[in-house]
Amino acid sequence: MVITQVRRAVTVCCLGAVLGAALTACGDGGRRPARPGPSAPSATTASRPPTLAPGPAGLTPVFRHGPRTASDKTVALTFDADMTADQGPRAAAGERFDHPRLIRTLRALKVPATVFMTGRWAEEYPDQARAIGHDPLFEVANHSYSHYAYTDGCYGLPVLAEERMQADVERAYAAFRRAGVPEAMPYFRFPGGCYDRAALRALTPAGVTAVQWDVVGGDAFATDAGAVARQVLDGVRPGSVVVLHCTRSAAPATERAVRRIVPELRRAGYRFVKVSELIAASGGRS
């Protein structure tokens, strides 16, 4: 990935850092053993969501894109539903961190998608979190509880102590359960896309697969839907993971961009899938 694109990707995903003041420290919400999620793991391995095999030294694996198979041109649209712990007063004053029109458009276009929620977003919009979680078109994944960075130097985000990282992931899953999400996926997106070996080691007991991306939508604060659409269309390759946002106030052009992106990619022979299908197709390899 080109360095400038990576920096833009991180900037796109750091909405909490750009929009708000420093966050308050996260509580652990109760520690839970083994793989997190709102439901107990199934007794049969076949029924469990696909994950990657652990990385070197058993570290949390990192997924960036699926197989580059020209004969099966798949692409996963992912949407970060960002809200930080300190943005409650802004939501109470009328700022909207949700984007129901975007979700309606995805449903109308019959586009599967993976929504990476912060736990704070699920707390603010429990009805929407529950509806997304119950819709077979979508899958809910973890974007931390309150958008702390998991490593130093992550574009101004407050940094979560290593010993609190697993608890932060579990606190988000607990928020999803309280909102009524029936089965959040064992996938985690690092706030800001920033991680290091220590962060991967800290999350190993959580049993998650870290999900990054290879295409940046560039929709944060964008008002030109055409520019967002062009950036996605120019970047997509078979197996791509596209990062966009499900946040009305900070990504107002996303829904209009999606209405252009979807038919263009379908005309080019692409099939939309959720992240879980790409991971399954990878055969457990990052």
Side-chain angles (χ1 to χ4, degrees):
M1 181 181 291
V2 179
I3 295 299
T4 54
Q5 189 181 37
V6 172
R7 290 186 178 277
R8 186 171 185 184
V10 173
T11 302
V12 166
C13 290
C14 288
L15 299 180
V18 175
L19 292 172
L23 308 179
T24 55
C26 297
D28 62 10
R31 292 185 177 273
R32 295 178 179 270
R35 179 176 67 84
S39 302
S42 170
T44 58
T45 302
S47 66
R48 295 174 182 167
T51 55
L52 295 185
L59 297 179
T60 297
V62 180
F63 183 75
R64 295 178 178 83
H65 61 78
R68 303 297 196 188
T69 307
S71 60
D72 185 16
K73 296 166 68 174
T74 55
V75 58
L77 298 185
T78 71
F79 297 89
D80 290 356
D82 290 335
M83 187 174 180
T84 63
D86 67 338
Q87 290 175 334
R90 290 165 56 178
E95 185 169 350
R96 300 306 302 247
F97 298 93
D98 61 342
H99 205 331
R101 184 174 179 181
L102 170 62
I103 298 299
R104 288 196 299 269
T105 294
L106 292 170
R107 286 176 173 140
L109 295 173
K110 297 181 172 56
V111 178
T114 303
V115 180
F116 286 87
M117 289 182 191
T118 64
R120 184 63 189 87
W121 193 97
E123 289 176 346
E124 188 70 26
Y125 305 108
D127 292 345
Q128 294 185 55
R130 181 168 56 254
I132 292 169
H134 278 272
D135 191 330
L137 198 61
F138 305 125
E139 60 190 11
V140 172
N142 195 315
H143 193 34
S144 81
Y145 176 76
S146 58
H147 216 263
Y148 266 67
Y150 280 58
T151 185
D152 292 327
C154 188
Y155 296 83
L157 281 172
V159 181
L160 193 68
E162 183 177 342
E163 62 270 18
R164 300 183 69 84
M165 292 176 183
Q166 180 187 350
D168 185 63
V169 172
E170 292 169 351
R171 187 180 183 188
Y173 279 117
F176 302 155
R177 286 191 291 272
R178 288 193 300 271
V181 175
E183 186 178 358
M185 304 299 282
Y187 308 144
F188 178 75
R189 176 162 284 166
F190 284 100
C194 304
Y195 67 91
D196 58 14
R197 186 179 179 86
L200 295 178
R201 181 175 60 245
L203 293 191
T204 297
V208 295
T209 292
V211 176
Q212 297 287 93
W213 56 83
D214 67 320
V215 178
V216 180
D219 59 336
F221 308 106
T223 57
D224 186 343
V228 174
R230 286 192 298 273
Q231 182 153 317
V232 172
L233 294 170
D234 288 347
V236 165
R237 299 168 58 194
S240 280
V241 176
V242 181
V243 58
L244 292 161
H245 290 82
C246 186
T247 311
R248 193 187 328 179
S249 62
T254 306
E255 186 269 341
R256 288 179 286 125
V258 164
R259 283 192 273 117
R260 175 176 170 182
I261 291 166
V262 170
E264 289 282 349
L265 286 178
R266 281 177 169 158
R267 278 193 289 271
Y270 280 91
R271 178 171 63 90
F272 291 95
V273 299
K274 292 175 273 193
V275 165
S276 56
E277 184 169 333
L278 289 186
I279 291 177
S282 73
R285 298 182 298 274
S286 57

